[in-house]
Structure formats: C-alpha cells, structure tokens
Amino acid sequence: MRKTYPLSSLHKLLAVLVLAAPLSACDSLFGKEVARLPINTISTPGQEVVKDATLQLQQGEELALWSDIDMAYDGEAPVRFQVQVFQNGAPYQQLELDPTEKNVTVGEVKTTVNGKTNWSFTGKNATLTAPKMGTYMFKARLVAAPNPTLVVKKAELVLKK
C-alpha cells in the first residue's frame, strides 16, 4: 500500500508558480492588455457606436492593436475598425484596421458550410509607437459593407503593451 503525504506550504507555492509560469510567458509573447473597447455593433449613418480609452504612454513605448472578433455571415463581410488617435487632446493619427488581416492569431475557429461562415479569433493587427510622452486617447468604431446576413456577436479592439 502506498503512503501519501499532504503537501507542505512550500510544495503548494511551488506548484502554483509552476502552473502560473506559462501565463506570464503569454504576456511577454502577446503583450499585456491595458484597454479593451467593446464596440460589438456596426456603426451606420443613423447610429454611430464609438468606444474610447485613454492611456498614458512614454516616448518610444509601443502599443499593439488587437481585434477580438466573433461573427457570422453569408458570402463576404468586410468589416473594419476605424480608429482615431488623439495625443494630449489634439488629433494625432487615423487608422483603419481590417481585423481579418492579422500577423499573430490566437484561438481562431472558422467554419464555412453552404456559403455560411462562422468565424471567431483574436489577432494582432497593428502597432503604434508613441513619438513622445503624453496622454493618448483611442476612439474606435466598427464599419462594414452592406450585408444583411452579417451578425456580429463580438467585436472588440484590444490595446496591449
């Protein structure tokens, strides 16, 4: 018969650290989330849906813009995040991001059956480097080409350092 011993506090701490190590590695690989703009609705001329976040950035600090998307559609469904960046209250830069054009992808699932596509993913779309220290405001909205079958379950712009 095998004898079992209860884990000591030290063993418990080591177990937690070993299990947590992969999580901290994710931050170094993918960046640490500093803001999330849950847009989740397509803006139309009669209904603008704009979300914003404000961050303090240091000169030379790099910020990654990621999209977290879950959508369904028939045919094609070109969607875009339109992002206005303000530096210390003044317009600084405008970006238009196609969330499907990503250079890093996490958790992508895409199925197409009889022309009906279900697609969810998290992907890195762009980076922005702060030219100087200051307060940066990001205002974003989601736009799409007309497609009555498009259903946006989730469309979030994620900012990571």
Side-chain angles (χ1 to χ4, degrees):
M1 180 170 212
R2 186 172 178 191
K3 192 172 188 179
T4 60
Y5 298 95
L7 288 177
S8 70
S9 295
L10 179 59
H11 286 115
K12 288 178 187 176
L13 177 61
L14 287 174
V16 167
L17 291 175
V18 167
L19 293 173
L23 297 176
S24 64
C26 287
D27 278 355
S28 64
L29 285 175
F30 302 120
K32 180 181 179 183
E33 183 175 321
V34 292
R36 182 176 288 259
L37 288 72
I39 300 165
N40 300 323
T41 303
I42 295 173
S43 286
T44 60
Q47 179 188 1
E48 290 290 317
V49 179
V50 178
K51 301 291 180 174
D52 64 79
T54 302
L55 300 171
Q56 290 296 125
L57 298 177
Q58 301 300 313
Q59 181 175 358
E61 192 167 20
E62 189 172 272
L63 191 70
L65 290 84
W66 290 66
S67 51
D68 190 356
I69 302 286
D70 188 359
M71 62 184 172
Y73 54 89
D74 289 340
E76 298 294 319
V79 294
R80 301 280 187 276
F81 282 114
Q82 293 178 336
V83 185
Q84 291 181 298
V85 184
F86 297 86
Q87 179 187 52
N88 297 321
Y92 167 63
Q93 192 170 19
Q94 290 191 13
L95 305 166
E96 184 162 296
L97 306 174
D98 178 347
T100 66
E101 291 182 12
K102 47 210 181 310
N103 54 32
V104 176
T105 305
V106 180
E108 181 170 18
V109 178
K110 183 178 184 181
T111 57
T112 302
V113 178
N114 295 329
K116 172 91 172 157
T117 301
N118 286 291
W119 196 1
S120 65
F121 60 86
T122 300
K124 181 179 178 183
N125 304 110
T127 57
L128 178 98
T129 303
K132 62 182 181 179
M133 184 179 80
T135 302
Y136 290 79
M137 181 191 310
F138 296 81
K139 287 185 157 190
R141 68 184 187 148
L142 182 70
V143 296
N147 182 338
T149 67
L150 176 61
V151 175
V152 175
K153 300 169 191 165
K154 178 165 67 169
E156 300 180 348
L157 185 66
V158 182
L159 306 177
K160 296 184 177 190
K161 285 186 182 178

